[in-house]
Amino acid sequence: MNFSEYFPVFSKLTKQEQLALTDSVTLRKMKKGTVIHGGDEECLGLLVIRSGQLRSFIFSEEGREITVYRLFDHDICLFTASCVMKSIQFDVTVSAEKDTDAWIVPIGVYQRLMENSAVIANYTNEIMASRFTDVMWLVEQIMWKSFDKRLADFLAEECIIEETDILRITHEQIASHLGTAREVVTRMLRYFQSEGIVKLMRGSIRIIDMEKLSDMSR
Amino acid sequence: MNFSEYFPVFSKLTKQEQLALTDSVTLRKMKKGTVIHGGDEECLGLLVIRSGQLRSFIFSEEGREITVYRLFDHDICLFTASCVMKSIQFDVTVSAEKDTDAWIVPIGVYQRLMENSAVIANYTNEIMASRFTDVMWLVEQIMWKSFDKRLADFLAEECIIEETDILRITHEQIASHLGTAREVVTRMLRYFQSEGIVKLMRGSIRIIDMEKLSDMSR
């Protein structure tokens, strides 16, 4: 599959707009752990994920992190192109959670298309609305949901993403996703273990009662 | 002043687009306390505030509230038109915090303009990016800022909005803005009083040391 099949509104563009995209787009391979956006990184352009996984997060002055959202195959990362939208007055960091292949639409090309094409501008709108929805979901989670439920939710989601019931993840990494301290995660995981929901092993967590885990996250 | 002066991209539109707006826009007066959007309210349209104050908030199943952002003169409320953006998968409630006069661009007119005009689509984008920025600020506040700082911040902001150092607001109302319980607000306000920052009175709060309040919110 090539770029045009990953860019949903491609067929609605004029021939000229389609050429501007296909002539300028490049495929980039990013190793797991690479910081793609944030801090001193330049504004890369619009990123269309062919395969892999990206994580978008913010951090406090003390260096504590919280995951804002994650992106998968076919998703589009708007914040690597956020410099074209002057009203975005916040910064998120985007890094590759897995080895990732993504097409990059250069920032200048994207900006020109957006300024002139209502189709591209409205599509950009839809992407932003999706990310906005992710963040509102996050606000509801941190405001109204107790930590045991959030942790159960996270573990269940990880099992779906990784297609396994043995998660190779440290307590520290979970803490960075959920915006809390490692000790808080460890304490709650031990409670989950005492309830027969998980088994804690060196460097990994095995889910032994998926039904109870799902019940808990509700 | 009339509508065109409140709609920043008006001069960039074609004559036909300008007419579509001015022919359809209506001025509506909304009493303090009116729920404008959310729950069973229909999707009203794009709202351009001539004067007044709107509050956008979400609430939990238990009925606890938190203010997501507020809108003032010249601001534009996008969420009363959110039904035209299918990727907005969350609901906020919008209510009038003060008597408010606003122009309403009917939803159908706005949708047609957005679909066909890159100017309007990009402007919509900028409004959404501003609200997105507000919500990211909120996430940072609730994640990394202790409650004493958030309360100090809120009181200082209220003094600026109301142009007074005597705030006529209940502890319950403050709790609804900050997403916490009334008792938590009362306890912290009593601490502020013991520190000589505020004086608590029946139905109002007097700020007696604004400098200390500002220091605290940092």
Side-chain angles (χ1 to χ4, degrees), chain A residues 51-86:
Chain A
S51 65
Q53 188 171 319
L54 301 183
R55 172 182 175 237
S56 172
F57 60 100
I58 56 171
F59 47 85
S60 70
E61 282 170 25
E62 293 79 29
R64 191 167 287 183
E65 297 179 3
I66 184 167
T67 299
V68 180
Y69 54 79
R70 292 157 119 183
L71 300 172
F72 304 93
D73 301 5
H74 285 269
D75 278 341
I76 288 176
C77 184
L78 190 62
F79 287 105
T80 48
S82 62
C83 51
V84 305
M85 273 162 281
K86 62 180 185 306

Side-chain angles (χ1 to χ4, degrees), chain A residues 148 186-197 216:
Chain A
D148 56 341
T186 299
R187 202 180 312 129
M188 193 58 80
L189 282 173
R190 284 194 187 136
Y191 167 72
F192 282 11
Q193 181 164 258
S194 73
E195 291 287 304
I197 300 170
M216 187 151 233

Side-chain angles (χ1 to χ4, degrees), chain A residues 191-216:
Chain A
Y191 167 72
F192 282 11
Q193 181 164 258
S194 73
E195 291 287 304
I197 300 170
V198 302
K199 176 148 179 44
L200 304 180
M201 297 174 293
R202 184 184 285 271
S204 67
I205 299 161
R206 184 184 190 147
I207 314 298
I208 51 180
D209 193 338
M210 192 58 87
E211 206 170 319
K212 219 164 163 181
L213 189 76
S214 304
D215 282 353
M216 187 151 233

Side-chain angles (χ1 to χ4, degrees), chain B residues 166-180:
Chain B
I166 301 177
L167 300 173
R168 306 211 169 278
I169 191 167
T170 66
H171 301 188
E172 185 73 43
Q173 286 171 313
I174 297 175
S176 291
H177 278 294
L178 299 178
T180 189

Side-chain angles (χ1 to χ4, degrees), chain A residues 58-62 64-66 68-69 78-79 84-92 114-122 124-140 142-144 150 178-180, chain B residues 58-62 64-66 68-69 78-79 84-92 114-122 124-140 142-144 150 178-180:
Chain A
I58 56 171
F59 47 85
S60 70
E61 282 170 25
E62 293 79 29
R64 191 167 287 183
E65 297 179 3
I66 184 167
V68 180
Y69 54 79
L78 190 62
F79 287 105
V84 305
M85 273 162 281
K86 62 180 185 306
S87 302
I88 292 189
Q89 296 287 339
F90 59 91
D91 208 12
V92 294
M114 199 167 83
E115 274 165 13
N116 296 301
S117 155
V119 172
I120 295 268
N122 279 304
T124 305
N125 239 313
E126 291 293 335
I127 304 168
M128 198 177 343
S130 295
R131 296 300 95 79
F132 204 149
T133 301
D134 292 339
V135 174
M136 288 302 291
W137 180 87
L138 178 66
V139 171
E140 295 192 339
I142 54 187
M143 283 307 299
W144 321 128
R150 287 183 62 211
L178 299 178
T180 188
Chain B
I58 56 171
F59 48 85
S60 70
E61 282 170 24
E62 293 79 29
R64 190 167 287 183
E65 296 179 4
I66 184 168
V68 180
Y69 54 79
L78 190 61
F79 287 105
V84 305
M85 275 163 279
K86 63 179 184 303
S87 302
I88 292 188
Q89 295 287 337
F90 59 91
D91 207 12
V92 294
M114 199 166 83
E115 273 165 15
N116 296 301
S117 155
V119 172
I120 295 268
N122 279 303
T124 304
N125 240 313
E126 292 292 336
I127 303 168
M128 196 173 349
S130 295
R131 295 301 97 77
F132 204 149
T133 300
D134 292 340
V135 173
M136 288 302 291
W137 179 86
L138 177 66
V139 171
E140 295 192 340
I142 54 186
M143 283 307 300
W144 321 128
R150 287 183 62 210
L178 299 178
T180 189

